[in-house]
Amino acid sequence: MSTPTIDRAVDERTYASYARPLLWRLVATREFAVFALLAIVYVYARGSIVGFDGPLTIYFLFLESAPIMLLALPMTLIIITGEIDLSVASTMALTGAMLGIAYTKWDLPFLAAVGVAIVVGLLCGLVNGFLVAYLKLPSLAVTVGTLALFRGLAEGFLGTESISGFPERWTDLLKDRIGGDSSYPLFVIPLAVLAIAFGVLLHFTTFGRGVYEIGLNDEAARFTGVDIARTKLILFMLAGGVAALAGIYQSLYTVARGDSAVNLELQVIAAVLLGGVSIFGGRGSLPGVLAGVLLIAVINSAMRLDGVRGEVTEIVIGCLLVASVIAPTLLTWISGLVPGRVPRPAAPPSVGTTPEPPASGGSSLKS
């Protein structure tokens, strides 16, 4: 039996994305759009809003947005896996409350009280991670429940009481500036170190590649050797630990209260999605998320200085979030209009099978 002759040109595969210029591949991304929008909003605010270009604007912008930046780091990895954690703000409040209780009521040294708060945060993450990763419960339902649980514990421990009076050397260190007189608080340094650590973990390690694989296809990830349950457990524990750091920061910056950080998880998720992370998982980058956090912080600061009411600011951020969800479809449509798109041909027939004759009759595959 003779083997059918197949034109080898049919077997060549081309990829449309690589057929376009490099500049276009860099520009036509959600991350680039967020960075561009951040630059536009910042330049406009400096030139048009009275007081925005003052020396304290950047200083307080970073101090006030630091909890969102912290919580957005592990949230990025969790959403890339296709999961979500709605309890991070409640964990932040609970750990802040435990810091205040351990320091003022249990008379523990401050660093020991910090250790208690971090352990509580890790335990909160362990609860979420175990229920999601090993009991296979949906993360949305689990973290809605623990959101109420952790918040109830925080308010139950403190009630309407607020705790302050933490050591001045720690509160002053938190509010010090880099170099003594710059526009950037000293806290930016550990925040940058933590962001770099999460960036390396996500983008340059096998663990990070596993995070993307889980979000794209968890069954395929399992076949490639990714321990899905362990990965998710680690991510939720990281979220709890970082939420504890955010709770400690918030307690030192203001006070420890059981009702602190209410609805902060919504701003965190908005920043992550605005930064280009897909809510369906498998896509996103940490630089884009940080740009999304800064964009929300700049909008909040600019509109507050301009005397705009808070609900109007929420409407603007909500519109941006909706636009970020629509953006992938819009970018796909625009990319199809760009010249140079090379369609990928259909796969050739398997060897040993008889190819169907052309509809016009008689002519071979080679013209």
Side-chain angles (χ1 to χ4, degrees):
M1 184 177 70
S2 61
T3 302
T5 303
I6 299 175
D7 189 350
R8 302 314 302 169
V10 176
D11 197 34
E12 294 175 2
R13 298 189 178 185
T14 57
Y15 297 89
S17 59
Y18 289 94
R20 303 190 184 99
L22 175 62
L23 180 61
W24 172 260
R25 299 204 305 268
L26 294 175
V27 170
T29 61
R30 294 176 64 182
E31 290 82 2
F32 181 85
V34 176
F35 276 104
L37 186 57
L38 172 61
I40 292 170
V41 172
Y42 181 75
V43 171
Y44 173 80
R46 282 186 64 91
S48 304
I49 297 177
V50 177
F52 190 84
D53 59 347
L56 295 178
T57 300
I58 298 296
Y59 174 74
F60 283 109
L61 186 148
F62 275 100
L63 282 180
E64 293 174 0
S65 64
I68 299 178
M69 290 186 183
L70 284 170
L71 296 177
L73 297 176
M75 185 69 78
T76 299
L77 278 68
I78 289 175
I79 294 181
I80 288 176
T81 64
E83 305 291 352
I84 198 166
D85 187 354
L86 296 176
S87 69
V88 286
S90 298
T91 303
M92 176 179 162
L94 177 58
T95 53
M98 293 307 301
L99 173 71
I101 291 172
Y103 180 69
T104 61
K105 297 183 179 181
W106 298 350
D107 294 325
L108 294 180
F110 179 73
L111 291 181
V114 168
V116 169
I118 293 175
V119 169
V120 170
L122 292 173
L123 288 175
C124 291
L126 178 63
V127 170
N128 286 333
F130 178 77
L131 294 175
V132 172
Y134 290 96
L135 297 188
K136 310 297 184 183
L137 300 177
S139 58
L140 179 63
V142 167
T143 56
V144 164
T146 53
L147 177 155
L149 172 62
F150 300 156
R151 178 69 64 181
L153 289 173
E155 293 179 349
F157 288 149
L158 290 185
T160 59
E161 181 184 0
S162 59
I163 298 178
S164 57
F166 297 104
E168 289 187 3
R169 66 191 184 98
W170 289 103
T171 57
D172 291 343
L173 183 64
L174 179 71
K175 299 175 182 178
D176 282 346
R177 305 186 188 197
I178 298 175
D181 58 352
S182 70
S183 299
Y184 299 93
L186 193 61
F187 185 74
V188 168
I189 296 177
L191 182 61
V193 171
L194 195 60
I196 292 171
F198 270 89
V200 171
L201 178 66
L202 177 61
H203 296 292
F204 300 101
T205 67
T206 55
F207 181 87
R209 287 193 291 274
V211 168
Y212 281 106
E213 290 175 7
I214 293 172
L216 290 170
N217 189 318
D218 56 352
E219 287 298 324
R222 182 176 291 107
F223 282 120
T224 60
V226 177
D227 191 331
I228 297 176
R230 186 184 66 179
T231 299
K232 290 183 178 181
L233 179 65
I234 291 173
L235 292 182
F236 278 99
M237 290 188 68
L238 283 175
V242 173
L245 297 179
I248 295 166
Y249 170 89
Q250 190 70 19
S251 299
L252 294 177
Y253 182 57
T254 55
V255 294
R257 291 180 57 89
D259 59 353
S260 65
V262 173
N263 294 329
L264 191 67
E265 66 278 350
L266 300 181
Q267 295 186 50
V268 174
I269 294 171
V272 172
L273 298 183
L274 186 61
V277 177
S278 172
I279 190 63
F280 302 107
R283 187 190 185 284
S285 69
L286 209 54
V289 170
L290 295 178
V293 173
L294 290 176
L295 177 59
I296 291 178
V298 169
I299 291 174
N300 279 326
S301 179
M303 298 186 79
R304 184 171 60 249
L305 288 173
D306 204 30
V308 179
R309 293 181 303 175
E311 55 267 27
V312 177
T313 304
E314 292 179 3
I315 291 173
V316 172
I317 294 174
C319 290
L320 283 174
L321 181 56
V322 172
S324 70
V325 174
I326 297 174
T329 302
L330 184 61
L331 282 174
T332 301
W333 178 75
I334 293 175
S335 64
L337 302 178
V338 177
R341 180 180 175 86
V342 181
R344 179 175 174 176
S350 302
V351 175
T353 62
T354 303
E356 295 184 6
S360 58
S363 61
S364 64
L365 288 174
K366 292 184 179 181
S367 58

